[in-house]
Amino acid sequence: METTPTPPSALVSVLCVSRNQDANLRRCLAALAQSTLAGRTQVVVVDLASSDQTPAVVAEFPELTALRLPKNFGWTKAANIGLRSTLAPSILFLDPRVELDPNAVEFLLGAVEESGPVAAAVATLRGPDGAPAPYLRALPDATLLRTDPYAPARPDESEPADYPGLSALLIRKSFLKGMNYFDERYGELWADAELAAQVKRAQRRILRVPGACGVLHPEQDKRIPAALLVADWHSGAAVYLKKHYGRALGRSLGPIFGSLFSGNLSLTRHLLAGDKVDGTQE
């Protein structure tokens, strides 16, 4: 672990969890260095045992706090580990794929209130081609029907965001403390839905901020086995259903029978074991 002093009176701690995203991470960190709040921002990068050039990229930015984990413990546990090193009152979860405009952090910070109706703010993202990026979703309900991500209908107008993910979302650390941070029964997936559900439960909202803009670049290969990632999704779905709707049995058994009928024995083994991305497979 490498730790550097936090900027005096830091307003925002940026938490970036990354695995095998060296090119994206370099672009992301370079953009943060140009932020209008760069001098009052703490940057924490949690490297999930990347096998690419991520350590070299991190070394190019000696002012940040770098945490290199020995295994891929999954996004949820990595985020909780990273949060222990954050010192500012506001947390910006930032995907390494995102390249923020210089004033984006400032706009996001200005939109979030300590105890008002807006608990969190999310950036307005576009693709590399300039078109609005599809990253917003409807919050999963008891059926857990998959909802396709959609692009903002009017990117130049603010709007509530039901389930925007954690690609570029700013929230007060006090809110995270109130929910006891992230439930580590989740692995790689579903922590973002859990946070959105907790905001809704608190009768507050997430606001998409049109002035806080950024580019969402394609993801590099994280090198997570496909069957394990599918099992992680179903494991997280069962936790989400149990917490918010009081049931999960059908969600647990259905995928197991489906994988058996399809002959996907690798997935069957992961599902029977209740596997998630947590480092135990490495």
Side-chain angles (χ1 to χ4, degrees), residues 21-175:
Q21 300 294 306
D22 51 4
N24 281 332
L25 183 62
R26 177 180 284 110
R27 185 192 304 113
C28 174
L29 295 176
L32 278 177
Q34 301 302 313
S35 168
T36 55
L37 289 182
R40 304 195 68 182
T41 298
Q42 176 199 20
V43 179
V44 178
V45 174
V46 183
D47 175 15
L48 279 169
S50 295
S51 56
D52 60 5
Q53 296 301 307
T54 292
V57 171
V58 170
E60 296 173 14
F61 301 87
E63 71 283 358
L64 59 74
T65 297
L67 306 173
R68 180 168 172 81
L69 304 186
K71 296 180 179 181
N72 180 12
F73 293 122
W75 190 95
T76 305
K77 186 172 182 178
N80 280 342
I81 291 171
L83 283 168
R84 297 189 197 120
S85 295
T86 59
L87 301 175
S90 293
I91 306 296
L92 172 59
F93 294 103
L94 189 62
D95 192 299
R97 296 177 296 163
V98 175
E99 178 184 11
L100 289 177
D101 290 0
N103 59 2
V105 178
E106 187 172 359
F107 274 103
L108 289 172
L109 184 63
V112 175
E113 303 161 351
E114 181 67 46
S115 58
V118 179
V122 64
T124 298
L125 302 177
R126 59 188 183 275
D129 60 357
Y135 64 103
L136 306 172
R137 293 177 184 268
L139 193 63
D141 60 15
T143 66
L144 290 189
L145 292 176
R146 292 177 182 266
T147 54
D148 293 328
Y150 61 89
R154 298 179 179 178
D156 57 340
E157 296 182 12
S158 62
E159 63 175 345
D162 193 31
Y163 174 24
L166 294 171
S167 294
L169 182 140
L170 187 142
I171 191 166
R172 293 282 187 176
K173 193 173 184 178
S174 57
F175 190 94

Side-chain angles (χ1 to χ4, degrees), residues 224-234 264-271 275-277:
I224 301 174
L228 176 59
L229 199 58
V230 172
D232 183 280
W233 190 93
H234 287 290
N264 191 339
L265 298 183
S266 176
L267 177 56
T268 302
R269 286 194 295 270
H270 283 307
L271 290 171
D275 284 343
K276 61 181 180 179
V277 180

